[in-house]
Amino acid sequence: MRAFRAGFALELWIIRSNPDALMPLFTAPLFAIIFMAIVRQSGRPDLESDALMAPVLMTLLWVALQHAGTLMVGDRWQALLEPIIASPTSLASVLLGRIMSLMCFGLLSFFEVWAVGKLVFGVSIPFEHPVELFLTLVCTALAMAGLAVTFSALLVMTRNAYTFTNSTSFPLYLLGGVFVPVAILPDWIQPVSSILFVSWSSDLLRASVNEAPVESFWPRLGMVLLLGTASFAIGRVVLHYVLRRMRASGELAAA
Amino acid sequence: MEAVEVEEITRVFEPRRRSGTRVVALDEVSLTVPTGEIHGLLGPNGAGKTTLVKILSTVLLPTSGKARVLGHDVVDETEAVRPLIGIVFGGERGLYWRLSGRQNLEYWGALYKLSSREAKERAQQLLERVGMADKADERVEEYSRGMKQRLHLARGLMGDGKVLFLDEPTTGMDPLAAREFRALIGELRDEGRTILLATHDMVEAEMVCDRVTLIDRGKVIATESPRTLGQVLSRFQRIDVEGVPLVVLDEIRAIRGVASVTAVDGVGTRIEVDEEGATQLVLERLVSAGATSVRTSLPSLEEVYVQLIGERGMEI
């Protein structure tokens, strides 16, 4: 837990001194406007809440992937990775704390899109299920952080991690049902989507802002947490092997 | 128990590309550092000092051989080794530049499992100890190179390690700061810590180390006290003399053990010997030739270093 807190505090300090990391918060309102304009143009007011939730998920995913690609790579190039590895702390937990810190800022996008809906389009997100909405957002952020740890481990030795994470985000948006529900995607894609927590998160998020009762809320939230935890567990294992390999090859420090 | 035990450690860096070269950074290096000793690891760039420090710090795996820190294997027992060590790598990197010195230390304290209060207290103590208290809340990017180096040292002490690995820790420090730093190393030893100091600075090694291991091209050349190493090299003694006829110098050149006889500006003639007993023969001949201005000098560690490692100059 101390490692998690250390990572969380570190990232808060870094963001305070260098707010570049919050760039996705500038794009969330713009995406909300684009999606709202599309559903308005299509005459589908029933999809307005969905149009507002998509930028929230996109922001969280973007923040998670972008920093997954840069945190460890940056530490490596700054010769910070070696002393961190030499400390008696789990790097995976530090990373999880750092990314969760960023996720907390990412969650602010929810309030941004709510404001865009209200002020620009005169639409209110119906807060019919506030507890479900809150828990879904929090669990989604945790799961995203778990996924980011896996990506961090996989990308630490690459020279162009940013390009990779940038291009990975769009397949994840699609497979995760961020733009459109997974149910309307081709049948053969759906098994792949079902093992991504993002697809469960996006469905649950949409359900939480609709007036109809949220069906099977707890099992579905459990799936988000389970798949997110699995991502983190995989990330820990991958990180262990990647670090072992880097210690063997002498690549913990970039030249 | 020995603080550091290294047994025939070899580390080979295989080429990452076909055109690359295989590098043997350490070649069956063995070394023992007793608890409480300041041990110097002295050698030129590329000698293998940093490689050894990295292996002992658990961030690099050896190709073969064994190394233990306070009895724990650095490959198989990393979780036991890491809380016991503190590391200071040289250079300007290795810190979060956009954070303050204090924030850097508090973060490192958390990595060493200190509570928030403990980390704050220890950071303050160490900032005062390294003379950085008044700059503690400025961003690291505003620090001079020497200040960064002092912060590196404070960071290495945040975990209160029993064994400290210092890799070129005075790089970038001004002479006064380097002198204070050396005094601090002595204090750390008095607190019961063991220190392995990797340096290419002969003066530094001579001033602070109880023993010095000379290392070059991945091989240990010798491990002795700085004084003993100097005595070992007494056979490499140097004799400066003035006003000696050329014919006498030719005779001296022919004495067994005389390595060179050269004219040196401002000195006259410099005679270097590389065998025990040769100095006496040279001095006898000089006296019999009537030379009155004769000066012999004991080798400094620097001369030991140069003699043992040879005249590779900048070649790595």
Side-chain angles (χ1 to χ4, degrees):
Chain A
M1 198 59 193
R2 254 175 212 166
F4 178 88
R5 282 211 315 263
F8 195 91
L10 173 72
E11 207 53 46
L12 285 183
W13 286 330
I14 290 174
I15 290 168
R16 200 165 66 182
S17 65
N18 178 30
D20 299 5
L22 303 181
M23 187 58 77
L25 290 179
F26 288 94
T27 57
L30 299 176
F31 277 118
I33 291 170
I34 293 168
F35 295 148
M36 278 298 291
I38 291 171
V39 297
R40 280 276 166 96
Q41 176 71 17
S42 311
R44 293 289 305 271
D46 56 313
L47 294 179
E48 285 178 349
S49 295
D50 296 9
L52 291 175
M53 287 301 99
V56 177
L57 277 171
M58 286 172 68
T59 303
L60 291 176
L61 256 176
W62 186 7
V63 171
L65 291 179
Q66 180 187 350
H67 291 90
T70 56
L71 292 184
M72 265 177 78
V73 172
D75 278 3
R76 180 169 173 247
W77 280 92
Q78 284 301 311
L80 283 153
L81 198 52
E82 284 186 326
I84 293 172
I85 299 301
S87 75
T89 291
S90 153
L91 178 60
S93 300
V94 176
L95 280 175
L96 190 70
R98 291 185 70 175
I99 295 167
M100 261 320 284
S101 186
L102 290 156
M103 287 289 106
C104 289
F105 285 98
L107 285 171
L108 295 176
S109 61
F110 176 83
F111 299 100
E112 289 184 309
V113 299
W114 174 79
V116 166
K118 187 84 179 166
L119 300 175
V120 180
F121 295 97
V123 174
S124 286
I125 296 172
F127 288 102
E128 296 292 327
H129 313 289
V131 175
E132 287 85 344
L133 178 63
F134 174 76
L135 289 176
T136 302
L137 284 171
V138 170
C139 291
T140 299
L142 275 168
M144 296 261 186
L147 177 73
V149 171
T150 306
F151 272 85
S152 285
L154 290 170
L155 298 175
V156 64
M157 288 173 73
T158 60
R159 287 179 182 272
N160 46 8
Y162 187 76
T163 310
F164 184 84
T165 54
N166 219 15
S167 46
T168 308
S169 56
F170 282 91
L172 278 176
Y173 295 156
L174 189 67
L175 291 170
V178 171
F179 299 121
V180 290
V182 173
I184 65 169
L185 295 176
D187 289 346
W188 60 270
I189 288 182
Q190 293 188 21
V192 180
S193 291
S194 65
I195 59 166
L196 291 175
F197 73 85
V198 189
S199 66
W200 296 84
S201 289
S202 52
D203 283 348
L204 210 45
L205 204 54
R206 280 190 283 266
S208 300
V209 293
N210 279 324
E211 290 176 5
V214 183
E215 289 178 18
S216 309
F217 173 72
W218 293 107
R220 291 162 76 186
L221 188 71
M223 281 304 289
V224 174
L225 273 180
L226 182 71
L227 292 171
T229 307
S231 296
F232 179 61
I234 292 168
R236 281 184 73 109
V237 173
V238 172
L239 194 57
H240 175 80
Y241 283 103
V242 168
L243 291 177
R244 174 94 191 176
R245 191 182 143 194
M246 292 173 84
R247 286 169 64 214
S249 62
E251 291 175 283
L252 270 179
Chain B
M1 183 192 299
E2 306 290 2
V4 176
E5 297 164 272
V6 178
E7 291 172 19
E8 297 183 350
I9 284 277
T10 294
R11 172 67 214 201
V12 179
F13 289 98
E14 299 292 346
R16 290 178 198 164
R17 295 190 187 89
R18 227 176 250 181
S19 57
T21 320
R22 187 173 186 266
V23 176
V24 181
L26 294 174
D27 188 1
E28 298 194 344
V29 167
S30 294
L31 177 69
T32 302
V33 182
T35 303
E37 181 174 272
I38 302 177
H39 193 102
L41 207 53
L42 182 63
N45 292 336
K49 307 183 297 292
T50 298
T51 302
L52 183 55
V53 167
K54 286 186 177 184
I55 288 172
L56 293 171
S57 307
T58 76
V59 298
L60 183 67
L61 297 177
T63 306
S64 65
K66 285 274 178 195
R68 283 180 289 277
V69 174
L70 293 171
H72 300 289
D73 190 283
V74 298
V75 175
D76 298 326
E77 299 173 81
T78 52
E79 289 186 12
V81 172
R82 288 171 180 167
L84 301 173
I85 62 172
I87 54 172
V88 178
F89 291 127
E92 292 202 61
R93 299 189 300 163
L95 297 164
Y96 290 98
W97 281 35
R98 295 202 172 171
L99 304 189
S100 69
R102 188 188 304 282
Q103 287 169 331
N104 268 280
L105 293 187
E106 288 180 13
Y107 170 63
W108 240 266
L111 293 190
Y112 279 86
K113 306 193 174 182
L114 301 181
S115 68
S116 177
R117 189 174 56 81
E118 287 170 328
K120 281 181 195 299
E121 284 174 5
R122 192 169 297 169
Q124 181 61 29
Q125 286 166 6
L126 289 170
L127 285 162
E128 286 169 9
R129 194 167 188 180
V130 299
M132 293 282 295
D134 57 334
K135 303 281 185 187
D137 296 307
E138 290 182 15
R139 284 189 188 191
V140 170
E141 64 190 357
E142 291 164 18
Y143 288 179
S144 68
R145 192 169 178 179
M147 288 160 72
K148 288 188 191 111
Q149 206 55 47
R150 281 191 269 173
L151 190 62
H152 268 297
L153 177 65
R155 191 197 65 186
L157 297 173
M158 276 303 286
D160 200 22
K162 301 283 177 286
V163 180
L164 301 177
F165 300 119
L166 313 180
D167 189 4
E168 306 283 1
T170 53
T171 306
M173 283 188 185
D174 60 56
L176 185 63
R179 196 170 67 182
E180 287 171 3
F181 170 80
R182 287 167 194 146
L184 177 58
I185 289 183
E187 289 173 25
L188 294 171
R189 188 254 310 272
D190 294 343
E191 292 169 5
R193 297 178 215 272
T194 307
I195 297 165
L196 183 66
L197 171 68
T199 181
H200 66 267
D201 184 339
M202 287 69 66
V203 176
E204 184 169 272
E206 199 164 12
M207 285 173 74
V208 301
C209 295
D210 300 313
R211 288 193 308 151
V212 173
T213 291
L214 288 174
I215 185 168
D216 185 45
R217 299 191 186 203
K219 284 183 178 291
V220 168
I221 296 167
T223 299
E224 287 296 347
S225 69
R227 177 181 291 269
T228 309
L229 272 177
Q231 287 167 354
V232 166
L233 261 284
S234 62
R235 66 178 194 270
F236 292 104
Q237 206 154 13
R238 193 171 61 190
I239 302 150
D240 292 330
V241 62
E242 290 177 45
V244 180
L246 284 174
V247 64
V248 176
L249 291 178
D250 285 340
E251 285 177 32
I252 288 172
R253 207 173 265 121
I255 293 173
R256 180 186 164 90
V258 172
S260 66
V261 178
T262 49
V264 177
D265 286 344
V267 172
T269 303
R270 174 162 292 166
I271 303 163
E272 290 178 326
V273 300
D274 63 4
E275 270 189 31
E276 208 165 348
T279 303
Q280 191 181 345
L281 295 173
V282 171
L283 289 175
E284 284 171 2
R285 184 67 193 93
L286 288 171
V287 170
S288 67
T292 53
S293 176
V294 179
R295 192 169 60 252
T296 60
S297 48
L298 288 171
S300 67
L301 191 53
E302 179 166 0
E303 287 165 314
V304 175
Y305 180 81
V306 171
Q307 290 284 0
L308 287 178
I309 288 174
E311 295 179 353
R312 283 201 286 119
M314 296 295 287
E315 183 194 342
I316 295 172

